[in-house]
Amino acid sequence: MSEQNTFRYKPFEQGVWGVLHAEWKLKTRTPLTIRSGAKAAFQQDSQERPKGRGLAPKLVWEKASPLLQKKDKKYSEIADFYYTFKAENGVLSCDYHIPASSIRGALRDSAIARKVEFENRALFSLMKKDKAVKQDENDTSASAQTLADIEKQIETAKQQLIEKRNGWYAILSLFGIAFNPSEDPENPLTWAGRLCIETNINQPENTQVTINDQQVDVKGGPQNIPRTVSLRSPVDRTTQSAKAAGGGLHYWLELPAGNTFTVKLQIANPTPSDVDLLDFWLREIEKGRLSFGALQSIGRGKVQTAEQTYALFVSPLAKYAQDLKSYPEVKFDHNQTDPLADFWQGAKLRFEQLKTIIEKG
Amino acid sequence: MEKHKTMEKHKPNPFDFVPFPNDSEPDLRTISEWLSVSYERATGSLTVQIEALTPVHIVGKQDTNNPSNDDEIRITHSAFWRSGGKPTIPASSIRGTLRSFIEAATNGWVSEITPYYKQERDKRQVGFMTIDAEDELKEGDVVDGDLPKMLPKAFRPKDRADGKIDLGSFLFGFVAGESAAKGRVQIEDAPISAKLDDSGQWQIPDIPGKALMGGPNPSAKTWWYMVPSGIRKRTVFARGRNQTIVDFLGSQFRGRKFYYHQAPNACLEYYTTKWKPPKGKKVESFPIECLPPKAESQSFQISFRELPLPILYFLIWALQPGKNFCHKLGYGKPFGYGSIRFHIVNVDVEPALDLPGQEVPPLEILEDADGYAWKAADFAKSDIASLLHMSSVLALARILYYKEPLQQIFVWPTFDANGFLPIVYDSEVRSALVAKEISNGFPNLLDLDEDEARELAEEIASMRRKGQPIKPALHFDVYQEAAEGYDDIQKRTLADALGA
């Protein structure tokens, strides 16, 4: 391997000298749907009649399964919003939640879609070498070619990272990668990411669900967000009727437009390309090009930034330390008993100020 | 084609088909090949509004008279769908309208189809499959295994080893087997702040009990939804004895169904004064809450990602196909409701890649995005022409032709001997076959070509049983071609629809 093709990146080789805390309060501009596979039970009307719709809607969360398994089919499945369980003080509870992985995935995918040419997007998706060989077990020439293709792909990938002609370097240096763990440990295409994401969606308790224009009480289950019922009825192209079988009318719960949730992004050792990515994502969010959750094809998941806060914490020896002194000081807020709480030097910044500081460095 | 002289004039049926062509298959390409239509690719959004040409209704809550007997149930009011308390045209309705149109115009895959129709007492005597979906059959559901799958194989979305998909799938996404491709077009809900009309002036015809037409009910034993392929005898017990009747078998669905435009009030008047409902029923009507004619939705976004410019132009054309070429959306399409125009009020375009050196592509066509700039000759030479299946576009243009005043009325065939009823007996079919010199009879099954099927249907329609016609609505084309005004419909051209 020539020196030109040697790519070496170790994000924490110099240790951790700084952390950027970004907090975005995002307001849903269109409904937000985050799924988990969980279902509740829903009915439009208390009795099945040839006509009439939505006359007595009902949603059942507790003990929904028995209702859904009944042969009379009075209740239909409704896809619930994502929720998690927690045990606190001996009590089990559940809350609706936006998994951080959902946000992370949307951010990563949007960056790849807009900063990497189509022809290079699969570059860092690699078939395992042992699987490649097994697939061509009966054809040794094909397996040899497959291995050669993989080696060539790895070299091309490294070259793109070295040349930084597209967004791969910026994206992978922030998100991390586990491309080829079995190769040379001195020059692996594997490193940890520097981005950590948290979300918070808690809102005042809401025991009701909106169905069309009606409010319906729901007993039990998570109640920490407002919810609406939405539905979709695929139409058969040859008859222009609702599909009678094979995946027809279906319902789901979503967070309506006009509600807020918080995304916290923590970036270790922030670089100018990280700040460029933040800038890019903020622009994409405002233009409606970056959406979150499911059903983006029907416009779900568009948000706008209601509030942004940034706090940069650096070691006193870091290159930005001096610059930060001219900005409002902020203490590291992890918790009040943290012995390292005062170790970092921190400043509260607006985004433009953050850009200036980081790009200057 | 000579119309059968003895058939009485009736109004044409409210829908027609864009046929599945015999001589061409969907244009399938890999995602890379679709992207390679042009190296100038754009990401951006269209700001769109929907204008109602005839009243638009999306069903929300429907109240009834709540009788104890289902045979007496009536809808008393149909409210507009609301999202978050606000009247809204759902994105899924808009997307469905657009994708159906695009699939037809490009001769693409049929992305949504009911996989089978089971045999059901009093509803469907012969069950059939539309696609290979044996694993979806539920226990107890019966279909006739001798019948072909009614959707032509070429039009079934498939998880292909070469990864090729149609243009509709490239734009809107695709899931089949283990393959999936994310769509490149996102459509938002269209909220409405205009005042809806709930005065009661807009009504849908209906009968007590079941719906007026019971909903679309494709049958494998008539040539209404199906292309004729032959006839088959079947024994049924009717009027106290075994009788041999004839099923009119099809080889495949005729095509993709679309509804004609018409004036709702004229249509309603015809149903309530002249149309014959099922025996013992009277046509009534119920009011619907509508977005009235000339009213518009609020603007909403149609976003697109990394589209080659010709495909972006194609998307814009699909939204605004022509001055006299308009879409239908929502409830009540058979009765003239839901005729709309999309208006593109703003276009925001940037290079598909957010990388240094990328430029905004030339916006020549987009300067007049809300105009109807297509002349027929230019259209045929434009960048988008290569994406279109022109005979399908012509069929669409004839059906979706909209020009005021809307004078042609379209109604369902009646529920008596002048329409879908009755069954046809073996002896009657034998007489018709002999009269048309097609055959002297048949043991059980007889294959027929297109011309033979047409002649047989025309002969049956001209026959009388106790003075009444026998099933004039057996063969869709025969029925339509004998309808009042259908000649004028067939004379519509693409240039008429483009209107430039």
Side-chain angles (χ1 to χ4, degrees):
Chain A
M1 191 193 308
S2 72
E3 251 187 49
Q4 279 174 299
N5 290 335
T6 300
F7 176 79
R8 193 167 177 281
Y9 177 68
K10 291 186 184 296
F12 300 109
E13 202 164 26
Q14 313 295 326
V16 178
W17 52 258
V19 176
L20 171 65
H21 284 209
E23 188 169 309
W24 294 344
K25 191 181 265 183
L26 301 174
K27 188 172 182 180
T28 53
R29 195 167 62 71
T30 64
L32 175 68
T33 308
I34 307 282
R35 290 194 178 151
S36 65
K39 310 276 185 207
F42 176 70
Q43 66 175 23
Q44 287 259 31
D45 302 286
S46 56
Q47 359 167 14
E48 197 174 318
R49 303 203 74 176
K51 288 174 181 168
R53 195 187 295 196
L55 300 174
K58 210 168 165 185
L59 196 141
V60 177
W61 196 91
E62 280 182 352
K63 297 176 186 169
S65 284
L67 292 173
L68 293 171
Q69 284 160 18
K70 275 188 174 179
K71 281 189 180 168
D72 60 16
K73 300 285 175 201
K74 270 189 180 170
Y75 283 87
S76 305
E77 287 184 349
I78 180 166
D80 206 348
F81 198 98
Y82 186 95
Y83 58 83
T84 55
F85 288 95
K86 67 180 178 193
E88 209 166 46
N89 300 324
V91 175
L92 185 69
S93 62
C94 59
D95 285 326
Y96 287 118
H97 179 62
I98 299 176
S101 56
S102 176
I103 304 296
R104 182 183 191 280
L107 294 176
R108 188 175 186 275
D109 287 351
S110 81
I112 294 171
R114 294 271 277 135
K115 290 189 175 289
V116 179
E117 309 89 343
F118 176 79
E119 298 73 24
N120 291 317
R121 280 178 207 154
L123 203 55
F124 289 90
S125 302
L126 195 59
M127 199 164 40
K128 288 199 174 136
K129 285 179 191 173
D130 57 347
K131 279 193 176 170
V133 171
K134 276 182 188 168
Q135 281 180 18
D136 299 296
E137 220 165 34
N138 298 323
D139 184 345
T140 51
S141 63
S143 68
Q145 274 184 326
T146 307
L147 284 172
D149 285 340
I150 291 172
E151 296 298 337
K152 191 178 170 193
Q153 185 179 336
I154 292 171
E155 286 311 306
T156 306
K158 281 183 184 172
Q159 199 59 33
Q160 293 218 349
L161 292 176
I162 292 166
E163 291 172 7
K164 296 183 186 176
R165 268 186 291 124
N166 55 31
W168 269 130
Y169 178 84
I171 294 165
L172 297 180
S173 79
L174 180 62
F175 285 91
I177 182 174
F179 187 39
N180 196 19
S182 60
E183 69 170 346
D184 178 4
E186 282 305 304
N187 292 302
L189 281 179
T190 297
W191 55 79
R194 294 178 292 107
L195 172 65
C196 186
I197 298 178
E198 281 178 36
T199 62
N200 185 320
I201 196 175
N202 280 335
Q203 305 228 357
E205 188 187 77
N206 190 325
T207 58
Q208 294 193 317
V209 168
T210 306
I211 300 169
N212 198 3
D213 58 349
Q214 300 167 78
Q215 297 285 320
V216 172
D217 279 314
V218 181
K219 194 178 150 205
Q223 291 171 352
N224 58 316
I225 61 170
R227 292 149 285 168
T228 53
V229 169
S230 209
L231 64 97
R232 198 170 181 183
S233 184
V235 169
D236 185 312
R237 306 292 193 240
T238 57
T239 62
Q240 282 289 313
S241 66
K243 278 171 70 172
L249 177 65
H250 54 278
Y251 304 93
W252 68 91
L253 288 173
E254 54 191 15
L255 176 71
N259 285 278
T260 56
F261 62 96
T262 304
V263 173
K264 291 184 185 175
L265 303 129
Q266 180 181 296
I267 300 176
N269 295 350
T271 65
S273 66
D274 297 336
V275 177
D276 282 345
L277 276 175
L278 290 175
D279 195 13
F280 164 75
W281 286 322
L282 289 167
R283 277 187 278 117
E284 292 288 276
I285 284 170
E286 290 311 307
K287 288 194 172 181
R289 307 216 215 290
L290 170 52
S291 314
F292 300 98
L295 301 177
Q296 292 179 26
S297 62
I298 51 170
R300 265 60 188 161
K302 296 198 178 181
V303 299
Q304 56 194 129
T305 43
E307 208 176 298
Q308 305 171 40
T309 58
Y310 300 90
L312 180 62
F313 299 90
V314 300
S315 148
L317 300 175
K319 55 188 171 183
Y320 305 119
Q322 201 54 39
D323 290 325
L324 284 190
K325 285 182 178 160
S326 48
Y327 293 97
E329 189 190 5
V330 63
K331 295 286 187 187
F332 197 83
D333 66 353
H334 191 60
N335 65 65
Q336 295 301 316
T337 61
D338 188 336
L340 297 178
D342 290 327
F343 180 77
W344 299 96
Q345 196 172 317
K348 192 171 173 182
L349 304 165
R350 293 195 312 274
F351 189 68
E352 291 307 315
Q353 294 166 336
L354 173 70
K355 274 173 82 170
T356 305
I357 290 174
I358 298 287
E359 280 168 12
K360 191 172 143 194
Chain B
M1 176 68 58
E2 186 187 359
K3 275 183 294 201
H4 205 284
K5 296 188 175 77
T6 60
M7 284 184 75
E8 290 178 16
K9 284 288 187 186
H10 50 263
K11 301 293 183 195
N13 185 65
F15 64 76
D16 219 305
F17 298 100
V18 174
F20 292 119
N22 295 326
D23 56 358
S24 59
E25 295 190 348
D27 179 5
L28 303 180
R29 310 184 200 183
T30 62
I31 292 177
S32 179
E33 286 167 347
W34 283 119
L35 284 169
S36 300
V37 163
S38 169
Y39 288 100
E40 288 180 319
R41 300 167 193 163
T43 287
S45 59
L46 309 171
T47 305
V48 183
Q49 280 181 284
I50 292 173
E51 178 196 1
L53 299 173
T54 65
V56 174
H57 180 68
I58 306 288
V59 176
K61 188 175 158 207
Q62 285 188 327
D63 297 312
T64 69
N65 57 341
N66 197 25
S68 52
N69 181 354
D70 275 355
D71 283 342
E72 293 301 316
I73 195 166
R74 294 172 173 80
I75 297 173
T76 53
H77 180 261
S78 189
F80 206 101
W81 171 260
R82 280 161 168 78
S83 177
K86 193 166 189 176
T88 301
I89 299 174
S92 54
S93 297
I94 300 165
R95 183 184 160 80
T97 294
L98 207 49
R99 187 167 187 170
S100 299
F101 180 85
I102 285 172
E103 287 174 1
T106 59
N107 194 36
W109 280 337
V110 172
S111 61
E112 295 285 0
I113 191 161
T114 299
Y116 67 92
Y117 291 86
K118 64 181 182 183
Q119 184 182 329
E120 272 183 275
R121 191 186 154 85
D122 297 331
K123 188 176 176 182
R124 188 175 298 107
Q125 291 169 29
V126 178
F128 62 96
M129 307 220 47
T130 61
I131 55 175
D132 295 314
E134 281 80 359
D135 53 345
E136 294 202 45
L137 279 169
K138 292 188 184 136
E139 200 182 316
D141 288 349
V142 175
V143 296
D144 187 332
D146 290 334
L147 296 177
K149 310 285 191 315
M150 293 302 178
L151 180 65
K153 208 165 184 173
F155 297 95
R156 301 175 203 169
K158 202 181 160 191
D159 179 8
R160 292 169 57 106
D162 60 10
K164 293 189 176 188
I165 57 177
D166 68 335
L167 181 55
S169 300
F170 174 74
L171 287 168
F172 296 102
F174 164 75
V175 175
E178 293 188 1
S179 280
K182 195 172 174 178
R184 288 161 186 270
V185 176
Q186 297 178 348
I187 301 176
E188 292 180 2
D189 290 340
I192 294 170
S193 55
K195 191 165 173 1
L196 296 181
D197 187 339
D198 203 12
S199 65
Q201 71 161 310
W202 303 110
Q203 305 250 343
I204 295 268
D206 199 14
I207 52 176
K210 289 183 182 171
L212 187 70
M213 288 299 290
N217 188 13
S219 169
K221 59 185 188 65
T222 76
W223 294 331
W224 194 248
Y225 275 93
M226 307 301 182
V227 172
S229 67
I231 50 180
R232 179 179 72 180
K233 292 185 189 180
R234 184 159 56 93
T235 304
V236 297
F237 189 80
R239 296 192 185 116
R241 57 191 173 98
N242 281 336
Q243 308 208 48
T244 305
I245 63 170
V246 175
D247 292 337
F248 298 86
L249 302 179
S251 56
Q252 61 173 61
F253 276 120
R254 286 186 178 275
R256 307 166 210 262
K257 180 174 160 182
F258 289 86
Y259 284 96
Y260 287 101
H261 298 287
Q262 63 172 320
N265 282 344
C267 175
L268 175 69
E269 195 198 336
Y270 191 94
Y271 273 107
T272 51
T273 59
K274 297 188 178 112
W275 191 79
K276 281 206 186 136
K279 201 172 173 184
K281 299 284 185 183
K282 183 175 176 263
V283 178
E284 298 171 355
S285 61
F286 61 87
I288 55 175
E289 185 185 23
C290 298
L291 179 68
K294 295 191 171 45
E296 291 184 325
S297 72
Q298 287 178 247
S299 58
F300 62 97
Q301 301 289 316
I302 295 180
S303 309
F304 52 89
R305 171 178 68 86
E306 201 174 30
L307 291 187
L309 283 193
I311 295 181
L312 173 58
Y313 300 159
F314 167 79
L315 179 64
I316 289 172
W317 170 77
L319 282 162
Q320 301 176 152
K323 212 170 244 171
N324 308 317
F325 196 167
C326 300
H327 293 287
K328 283 183 81 80
L329 180 152
Y331 189 73
K333 293 190 193 81
F335 311 113
Y337 291 94
S339 301
I340 58 152
R341 264 209 189 95
F342 290 106
H343 290 290
I344 300 173
V345 299
N346 190 50
V347 181
D348 177 24
V349 170
E350 33 184 277
L353 289 176
D354 184 68
L355 288 174
Q358 297 283 319
E359 286 177 0
V360 176
L363 299 178
E364 199 181 291
I365 190 161
L366 302 176
E367 286 168 7
D368 190 21
D370 195 34
Y372 297 95
W374 303 102
K375 290 187 174 50
D378 296 339
F379 188 73
K381 285 186 280 183
S382 71
D383 283 342
I384 73 171
S386 64
L387 302 170
L388 298 171
H389 187 262
M390 291 311 289
S391 63
S392 296
V393 173
L394 175 59
L396 274 170
R398 287 190 177 134
I399 301 169
L400 296 179
Y401 181 80
Y402 182 100
K403 193 156 189 203
E404 290 178 1
L406 296 171
Q407 291 177 320
Q408 179 66 56
I409 295 174
F410 300 85
V411 296
W412 302 118
T414 52
F415 264 97
D416 62 3
N418 290 296
F420 289 117
L421 303 177
I423 53 177
V424 186
Y425 295 105
D426 171 38
S427 53
E428 289 161 336
V429 171
R430 209 173 336 115
S431 297
L433 288 171
V434 168
K436 287 295 182 181
E437 296 177 353
I438 297 169
S439 166
N440 288 327
F442 62 109
N444 183 50
L445 197 63
L446 180 68
D447 289 339
L448 296 168
D449 64 30
E450 196 179 309
D451 289 336
E452 288 169 339
R454 181 183 280 273
E455 286 183 13
L456 178 62
E458 286 175 348
E459 183 64 23
I460 288 170
S462 72
M463 290 161 63
R464 291 293 179 267
R465 188 194 299 156
K466 295 181 183 173
Q468 294 293 313
I470 304 174
K471 215 176 186 72
L474 163 62
H475 187 301
F476 185 87
D477 290 340
V478 167
Y479 184 86
Q480 287 288 71
E481 286 161 14
E484 178 188 282
Y486 197 71
D487 276 347
D488 292 333
I489 292 169
Q490 291 299 95
K491 285 175 189 162
R492 294 171 180 170
T493 65
L494 179 58
D496 292 335
L498 293 175

